[in-house]
């Protein structure tokens, strides 16, 4: 039995691990949790996506960052490409982990509290939503300021940091980050468009479009 990545199409975090597994021609199978709910719940009590398992070898992994690193180091056959993606120095490795962690925790959480009330996935409260927008803007500005003077997040080429963070920004670009938003954050927009064309993730992004107009708060 091959290794399995559990995913669900409503969740964005599995996208990059699945793209990497495909790009490196791994034998990993993608399994929708809806089709294997009993085994998934038994093996992963927290029921978080993505989760990676090979029951024959006893391999169990949760958390997107760990799964992405495992896939690259296991299935990429080119040592130089591994260094490019994961960093060739301790400083680069640390910076890549920094951006991965910031995006999968703070950025994603702030996006969720801002976006979900606008698309009917959470109750809307005017004051709470205004605070959520303020907190999201503060995190987003960190990326905008950094990308003003850098083509990529860490090095002079694409690293896992770019791929990982792009998947988190997709949540916003898909639902609320419209052209007006892009005018406010041109550096993120330029970078996002470049990374989504990368062969590592282009199979996922090639049919995705930026939202035309941000939805308005419910009345």
């Amino acid at each position: 039995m091959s290794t399995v990545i559990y995913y669900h199409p409503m969740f964005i975090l599995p996208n990059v691990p699945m793209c990497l597994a495909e790009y490196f021609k791994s034998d990993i199978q993608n399994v929708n949790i809806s089709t294997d709910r009993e085994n998934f719940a038994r093996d992963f009590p927290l029921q978080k996506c993505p989760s990676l398992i090979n029951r024959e070898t006893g391999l169990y992994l949760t958390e997107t960052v760990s799964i992405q690193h495992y896939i690259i180091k296991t299935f990429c056959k080119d040592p130089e490409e591994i260094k490019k993606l994961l960093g060739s120095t301790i400083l680069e490795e640390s910076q890549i982990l920094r951006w991965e962690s910031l995006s999968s925790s703070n950025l994603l959480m702030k996006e969720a509290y801002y976006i979900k009330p606008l698309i009917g996935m959470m109750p809307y409260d005017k004051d709470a939503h205004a605070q959520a927008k303020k907190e999201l803007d503060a995190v987003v500005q960190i990326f905008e300021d950094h990308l003003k003077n850098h083509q990529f997040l860490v090095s002079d080429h694409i690293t896992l940091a770019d791929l990982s963070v792009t998947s988190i920004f997709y949540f916003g670009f898909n639902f609320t980050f419209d052209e007006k938003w892009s005018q406010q954050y041109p550096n993120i927009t330029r970078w996002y468009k470049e990374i989504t064309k990368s062969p590592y993730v282009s199979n996922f992004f090639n049919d995705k479009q930026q939202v035309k107009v941000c939805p308005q708060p419910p009345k």
Side-chain angles (χ1 to χ4, degrees), residues 53-64:
I53 186 172
N54 186 315
R55 294 182 180 89
E56 291 181 354
T57 64
L59 172 65
Y60 290 76
L61 283 178
T62 61
E63 311 309 321
T64 310

Side-chain angles (χ1 to χ4, degrees), residues 4-19 28-37 40 44 47-53 61 64 67 204:
V4 164
I5 289 179
Y6 280 112
Y7 77 99
H8 191 282
M10 288 186 62
F11 299 155
I12 62 172
L13 289 176
N15 292 331
V16 168
M18 290 193 299
C19 284
I28 294 176
Q29 296 179 11
N30 301 325
V31 176
N32 189 322
I33 60 175
S34 300
T35 67
D36 196 21
R37 177 71 67 176
F40 175 63
F44 299 100
Q47 300 189 43
K48 295 177 63 177
C49 288
S51 293
L52 182 147
I53 186 172
L61 283 178
T64 310
I67 293 171
F204 173 78

Side-chain angles (χ1 to χ4, degrees), residues 95-211:
Q95 290 292 352
I96 289 167
L97 288 167
R98 169 209 176 193
W99 291 112
E100 285 184 280
S101 178
L102 178 63
S103 65
S104 63
S105 57
N106 274 305
L107 177 60
L108 181 57
M109 180 178 64
K110 305 304 183 186
E111 279 183 327
Y113 283 118
Y114 170 69
I115 294 172
K116 286 185 176 182
L118 295 178
I119 60 176
M121 294 181 68
M122 284 178 60
Y124 176 79
D125 176 89
K126 183 178 179 180
D127 292 337
H129 194 252
Q131 181 63 28
K133 184 179 186 304
K134 180 179 179 181
E135 293 178 2
L136 174 60
D137 289 347
V139 178
V140 168
Q141 194 63 48
I142 294 173
F143 291 90
E144 178 69 12
D145 291 343
H146 181 78
L147 289 167
K148 181 178 181 180
N149 299 310
H150 299 84
Q151 183 178 1
F152 304 106
L153 286 173
V154 174
S155 187
D156 59 356
H157 55 265
I158 290 175
T159 68
L160 181 56
D162 299 292
L163 303 176
S164 184
V165 176
T166 295
S167 73
I168 307 300
F169 270 105
Y170 166 68
F171 189 23
F173 277 94
N174 190 49
F175 288 110
T176 62
F177 295 171
D178 57 12
E179 288 298 326
K180 183 178 179 181
W181 185 95
S182 288
Q183 292 173 8
Q184 184 178 357
Y185 300 104
N187 300 310
I188 292 175
T189 302
R190 179 269 310 161
W191 162 85
Y192 179 83
K193 290 180 177 179
E194 181 172 1
I195 304 305
T196 56
K197 295 177 182 177
S198 160
Y200 293 109
V201 294
S202 59
N203 282 352
F204 173 78
F205 284 105
N206 61 10
D207 62 346
K208 304 300 188 295
Q209 300 292 327
Q210 182 177 8
V211 64

